[in-house]
Each structure stands twice: as structure tokens, then as C-alpha cells.
């Protein structure tokens, strides 16, 4: 697969390089030169396959020239070696597609674990990497667990201090070994800026073999395409005809993957880009002005991002496919309405959490008469135990995966959002 840098189209790399670099020159994101298409006859065959075989087929559309199908199959099997996503019906017209049955209970496990497999597939003996990534909550855990204990790989995770849930923090700041965590006195956008700055520092980048596991890494997006096909395969013929998918958006990686699935030929009628009060994209789609405001903290903290990285990829995909951005549905939901929506879902016998609840709200409000809707369940409710318990006045039990980490001491360092401080850390620790 060839990819070009969205900031400097003359920089072209193959998939291996894109995975290893993460970002291109001038912090540009990589985007595929060719957008493969699965013809309808092949699509119906693919939809009947099991999750691993189908995912291998889909991924090989992009990368079979660099990794053979047989080898890819092995890696996909390892990456997705946890419980499959689950469709849970809320009512006749709406289902939740739960993506949180992986080891760290959020959809980020798909991307992070596939990326770890790709790094493994491409790394030469004695080649060492520093994975530097910023997290608004769930990426940290997924990446930390995906790379934990891997030889020649050091993982450094930045997160905004006090702005992620206790359980989120517990899940990745207690691991130790090759996983280092730094809490930053600032917002997620501050963390993301620091990561981008590090990538701009050519000397540093070479010195420590810098890589990023953010959703800016193309391997993560490719992995996420696969579960949209799984969702589709679980629907009836009738439901498939008028499918609308509501995606809770932060950095817009998940939505990018969904749109890539559509570009491959999966006939999804419409997407809803769902945000919380950090509504840069909804405002842009409303009035055409890109005007990020200061990030505000909400109860759906993994979506507290006002400068979403992947938006440039979405714009490029619409341009390349000659799709109309006006057809992308969108909306933003306040904390108060989010809470009400969690209660509403509970009345329908479903325990949810703030991120999915935002997607449910907008799906419910925007779904037309003859349409069928899926909203993505991006994290297990127990990851937001305190918030959900306060809203529902009901105890949420912890799955065993979380209990284990609960009592361990946090090993994080703490710094101000100061690039020189980060650089010192990268060179010393
Ligand atoms: C990361 C995350 C999101 C946002 O996903 P993006 O791909 O960054 O848009 C939404 N919900 C949860 C629970 C997340 O962890």
C-alpha cells in the first residue's frame, strides 16, 4: 500500500514506513493513494465469513503487497484474540454495537493490538522503538496492554492529569516494565501538541526511534474498519438497506474507519458524527468555519478533544470519493442531556456510559421512519463506574479485568506541558 502525506503530497511511503513513522513531515497524516473497492458479489461472500477470516480479507485489500495473506491471518488472529463485538438490541429500530469486550474494555483494543502486531511483523532484529502517545483515557490502556513486555519497545503515554477516570488511569499507569506514563498538567490537546512537537524534532526522532500509537497511526484505522463489516453481517436484509451508524467522536479515528468501510463498498446509508460540548466539527459542518475553542471537561472525557487529528483524513476521503460533506449527519450533546440519556437507556434495560449514550441520543433524535440505527458502544460502563453510579443510583460491578488493577500503586511521573521537560524525559528514562 502506498500512502501520501496530507500536508506534503510529495512525501510517499509504504505501509511499513507509515506504521513505523506514525506521522509524516510537518506532522502530516498519511492517507492511502489507492482506495480499494470490494465488488458487491465479493461483498456478500465476505459478509458470510467468520470475523478473523473476513478481517484478513479486508485488510489484505490494502496491504497484501507487503504482508502475505497467510502471515496477515496469523497476526489478525493474535490481535483480535478476544471476545467479538456484540450487537445488543435496544428496541426494534435501534441496537448498540458493543466494541468493548477486549482486554482493556474499550474499542481501542482493536487498533492498538493490531498495530502492535504490525510493529512486530516489520521490526528487524535489534531495531528499537519508542512509542509516544497521548491519551484522553482509553488509548493509554489499550496501547500499554498491547505492547506490554514486548522486547525493544518502550512505550511512553501522556495523559491530562485529573481528566481521566480513576479506573482508566489504574489500568495503564500501574504496569511498569516497558510502559512509562506521564500525567500532564493540562488538557488532552496539550498532550497531543507535545507528541506532535516531539515528532517535529528530527534529531530526537532518530535518536530514540520515535513512533506514535495514536489514531494517527494508519494501522489502527485499518483494524477498525473490520468491525463495521462485522456489525453489518449481523443485520437482517431489511436493516441493511437503511443503516445509520452513530459514532461517538473524539479524535475522529473511529468515524474515519467507518467511512473507509463505506468507501470499500459496505453500503452504510449514513453516519452521525457525535460529539460532546467539544463541538468543533459540528460547528464546522454547520457554518463552514474551523474554529476550535478551548477544550472543556465533560463526563464523556475520551471525547474531550477540540482539535481532532483525523478530521483532515475525513475531508480528504470525501474529496477523493466525491461525497458531499453535507450528507454527513452530526450533533453535539451536553452533559445534562447525556445523563438523561443514560437514564433513558436504563429504562430500556440497558446500562450504558456517557460516550455511547451521546451516540444513542443523536441516533434516536435523528433516525428517520424507515431507517435502522446502530450506535457504537465504545467502552464498558464499568470504566466510568463513578459517573454511571451517580446517575443511575445503582452499583455497577467491576469485571475481573478491572478488579486486578484496582489496588496497584500508580507509577506515573508528572510534568507541565513543556516540551523541553518531555524531551529530557525521553532522552533519560
Ligand atoms: C477514544 C474514545 C472515543 C473517541 O474515539 P475517536 O476514534 O478518537 O473519535 C469515544 N469513546 C470512547 C469510550 C473512547 O475511548
Amino acid at each position: 500500500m502506498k500512502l501520501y502525506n496530507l500536508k506534503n503530497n510529495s512525501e510517499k511511503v509504504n505501509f511499513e514506513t507509515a506504521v513505523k513513522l506514525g506521522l509524516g513531515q510537518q506532522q502530516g497524516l498519511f492517507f492511502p493513494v489507492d482506495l480499494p473497492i470490494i465488488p458487491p458479489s465479493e461483498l456478500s461472500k465476505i459478509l458470510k465469513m467468520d470475523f478473523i477470516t473476513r478481517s484478513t480479507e479486508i485488510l489484505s485489500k490494502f496491504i497484501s503487497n507487503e504482508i502475505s495473506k497467510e502471515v496477515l491471518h496469523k497476526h489478525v488472529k493474535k490481535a483480535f484474540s478476544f471476545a467479538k463485538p456484540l450487537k445488543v438490541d435496544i428496541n426494534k429500530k435501534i441496537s448498540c454495537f458493543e466494541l468493548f469486550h477486549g482486554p482493556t474494555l474499550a474499542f481501542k483494543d482493536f487498533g492498538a493490538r493490531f498495530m502492535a502486531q504490525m510493529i512486530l511483523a516489520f521490526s528487524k532484529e535489534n531495531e528499537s522503538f519508542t512509542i509516544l502517545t497521548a491519551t484522553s483515557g482509553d488509548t493509554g490502556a489499550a496501547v500499554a496492554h498491547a505492547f506490554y513486555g514486548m522486547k525493544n519497545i518502550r512505550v511512553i503515554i501522556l495523559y491530562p492529569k485529573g481528566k481521566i477516570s480513576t479506573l482508566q488511569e489504574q489500568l495503564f499507569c500501574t504496569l511498569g516494565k516497558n510502559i512509562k506514563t506521564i500525567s500532564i498538567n493540562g488538557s488532552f490537546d496539550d498532550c497531543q501538541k507535545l507528541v506532535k512537537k516531539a515528532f517535529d524534532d528530527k534529531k530526537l526522532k532518530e535518536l530514540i526511534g520515535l513512533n506514535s500509537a495514536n489514531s494517527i497511526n494508519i494501522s489502527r484505522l485499518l483494524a477498525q474498519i473490520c468491525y463495521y463489516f462485522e456489525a453489518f453481517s449481523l443485520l437482517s436484509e431489511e436493516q441493511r438497506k437503511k443503516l445509520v451508524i452513530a459514532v461517538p467522536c473524539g479524535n475522529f479515528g473511529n468515524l474515519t474507519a467507518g467511512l473507509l468501510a463505506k468507501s470499500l463498498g459496505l453500503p452504510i446509508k449514513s453516519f452521525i458524527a457525535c460529539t460532546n460540548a467539544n463541538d468543533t466539527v459540528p460547528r464546522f459542518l454547520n457554518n463552514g468555519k474551523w474554529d476550535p475553542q478551548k477544550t472543556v471537561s465533560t463526563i464523556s472525557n475520551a471525547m474531550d478533544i477540540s482539535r481532532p487529528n483525523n478530521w483532515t483524513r475525513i475531508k480528504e476521503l470525501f474529496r477523493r470519493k466525491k461525497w458531499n460533506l453535507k450528507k454527513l449527519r452530526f450533533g453535539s450533546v451536553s452533559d445534562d442531556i447525556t445523563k438523561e440519556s443514560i437514564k433513558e437507556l436504563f429504562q430500556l434495560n440497558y446500562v450504558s456510559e456517557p460516550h455511547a449514550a451521546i451516540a444513542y441520543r443523536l441516533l434516536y433524535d435523528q433516525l428517520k421512519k424507515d431507517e435502522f440505527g446502530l450506535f457504537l458502544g465504545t467502552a464498558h460502563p464499568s470504566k466510568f463506574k463513578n459517573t454511571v453510579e451517580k446517575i443511575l443510583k445503582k452499583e455497577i460491578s467491576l469485571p475481573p479485568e478491572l478488579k486486578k488493577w484496582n489496588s496497584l500503586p500508580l507509577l506515573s511521573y508528572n510534568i507541565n506541558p513543556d516540551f523541553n521537560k518531555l524531551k529530557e524525559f525521553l532522552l533519560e528514562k
Side-chain angles (χ1 to χ4, degrees):
M1 171 163 77
K2 276 260 169 299
L3 301 109
Y4 57 98
N5 178 335
L6 287 175
K7 283 233 175 102
N8 170 9
N9 294 359
S10 65
E11 185 188 1
K12 294 208 172 62
V13 297
N14 62 7
F15 177 64
E16 173 175 351
T17 309
V19 169
K20 286 182 178 174
L21 288 180
L23 275 172
Q25 291 154 11
Q26 302 164 308
Q27 308 170 346
L29 277 72
F30 291 117
F31 193 86
V33 171
D34 294 313
L35 294 168
I37 290 178
I38 302 174
S41 56
E42 194 185 340
L43 182 67
S44 56
K45 271 189 222 137
I46 279 191
L47 287 171
K48 291 193 188 93
M49 294 173 178
D50 68 86
F51 184 52
I52 304 291
T53 312
R54 185 196 310 119
S55 300
T56 307
E57 285 296 323
I58 294 163
L59 291 163
S60 68
K61 296 282 168 202
F62 290 97
I63 58 179
S64 63
N65 66 328
E66 290 176 61
I67 305 183
S68 72
K69 231 186 238 183
E70 293 72 46
V71 176
L72 186 59
H73 188 265
K74 263 194 340 217
H75 288 293
V76 170
K77 203 167 160 187
K78 276 201 189 130
F80 299 166
S81 63
F82 49 86
K84 277 194 312 187
L86 213 63
K87 180 172 79 76
V88 179
D89 299 335
I90 304 296
N91 62 31
K92 278 203 182 110
K93 292 183 52 166
I94 293 182
S95 300
C96 179
F97 192 54
E98 297 183 346
L99 298 166
F100 51 71
H101 300 286
T104 70
L105 305 176
F107 76 94
K108 306 256 175 20
D109 282 323
F110 287 93
R113 291 171 62 89
F114 181 67
M115 178 178 165
Q117 286 300 315
M118 291 300 97
I119 295 269
L120 202 63
F122 290 131
S123 58
K124 305 185 178 63
E125 226 179 306
N126 296 326
E127 197 176 10
S128 64
F129 293 104
T130 297
I131 309 268
L132 175 66
T133 194
T135 182
S136 59
D138 292 322
T139 293
V143 168
H145 286 258
F147 287 93
Y148 183 58
M150 269 172 77
K151 243 176 52 185
N152 298 337
I153 292 186
R154 174 176 68 147
V155 177
I156 296 172
I157 301 169
L158 312 183
Y159 64 100
K161 188 177 165 71
K163 296 197 169 98
I164 67 175
S165 84
T166 317
L167 283 164
Q168 282 177 324
E169 191 174 18
Q170 239 18 81
L171 207 48
F172 70 96
C173 301
T174 53
L175 285 169
K177 280 198 186 165
N178 61 330
I179 312 295
K180 317 249 181 256
T181 54
I182 311 178
S183 66
I184 302 289
N185 302 321
S187 68
F188 171 75
D189 289 303
D190 292 325
C191 300
Q192 192 151 262
K193 260 188 232 156
L194 286 173
V195 171
K196 283 190 160 188
K197 260 203 177 138
F199 274 88
D200 255 359
D201 192 324
K202 259 200 178 137
K203 247 168 83 192
L204 177 73
K205 202 165 136 183
E206 272 164 33
L207 215 56
I208 63 173
L210 203 56
N211 190 307
S212 167
N214 276 14
S215 51
I216 46 187
N217 196 295
I218 193 73
S219 62
R220 285 187 45 181
L221 294 185
L222 294 189
Q224 290 174 237
I225 295 173
C226 302
Y227 53 66
Y228 284 91
F229 281 77
E230 173 72 9
F232 199 85
S233 78
L234 298 173
L235 304 180
S236 69
E237 287 300 325
E238 211 41 51
Q239 293 169 330
R240 287 179 184 185
K241 278 185 200 146
K242 297 278 170 73
L243 175 60
V244 178
I245 303 183
V247 186
C249 294
N251 224 356
F252 282 73
N254 212 356
L255 181 61
T256 309
L259 289 162
L260 282 170
K262 179 170 170 141
S263 119
L264 270 165
L266 194 67
I268 298 162
K269 182 183 174 195
S270 205
F271 285 94
I272 310 178
C274 310
T275 74
N276 58 27
N278 297 286
D279 59 351
T280 309
V281 168
R283 281 185 292 109
F284 172 78
L285 290 170
N286 227 344
N287 65 15
K289 285 201 198 95
W290 188 255
D291 180 26
Q293 310 278 320
K294 202 169 175 335
T295 315
V296 294
S297 294
T298 72
I299 57 168
S300 47
N301 64 273
M303 294 157 67
D304 290 349
I305 298 173
S306 59
R307 294 172 188 276
N309 257 316
N310 282 297
W311 184 250
T312 54
R313 281 193 172 126
I314 292 183
K315 277 207 313 205
E316 181 71 354
L317 184 59
F318 273 78
R319 190 186 70 77
R320 293 270 310 274
K321 299 292 284 190
K322 301 195 173 62
W323 292 340
N324 187 349
L325 253 188
K326 293 219 161 66
K327 293 228 171 104
L328 180 60
R329 302 184 198 178
F330 59 91
S332 72
V333 174
S334 69
D335 272 357
D336 282 345
I337 305 278
T338 305
K339 288 177 193 167
E340 287 310 311
S341 307
I342 290 177
K343 284 186 200 157
E344 187 175 311
L345 279 165
F346 189 57
Q347 298 278 313
L348 296 164
N349 282 318
Y350 188 67
V351 177
S352 192
E353 52 73 42
H355 306 79
I358 285 177
Y360 164 75
R361 175 78 281 134
L362 291 165
L363 181 65
Y364 186 95
D365 292 349
Q366 297 188 12
L367 202 64
K368 294 182 190 139
K369 235 184 166 174
D370 56 348
E371 290 174 340
F372 178 77
L374 281 180
F375 64 101
L376 300 186
T378 43
H380 193 290
S382 66
K383 270 190 127 169
F384 303 92
K385 186 175 155 64
N386 295 346
T387 310
V388 177
E389 283 181 343
K390 242 188 257 156
I391 296 167
L392 294 182
K393 304 196 170 54
K394 171 190 171 348
E395 204 183 319
I396 308 277
S397 62
L398 283 184
E401 293 94 307
L402 283 182
K403 266 186 204 147
K404 192 166 52 178
W405 306 104
N406 222 359
S407 54
L408 300 173
L410 294 174
L411 304 171
S412 297
Y413 300 84
N414 172 252
I415 62 172
N416 284 326
D418 170 351
F419 181 62
N420 287 324
K421 279 268 148 34
L422 174 66
K423 196 167 165 176
E424 259 171 48
F425 185 97
L426 289 172
L427 291 169
E428 282 169 15
K429 294 268 166 35

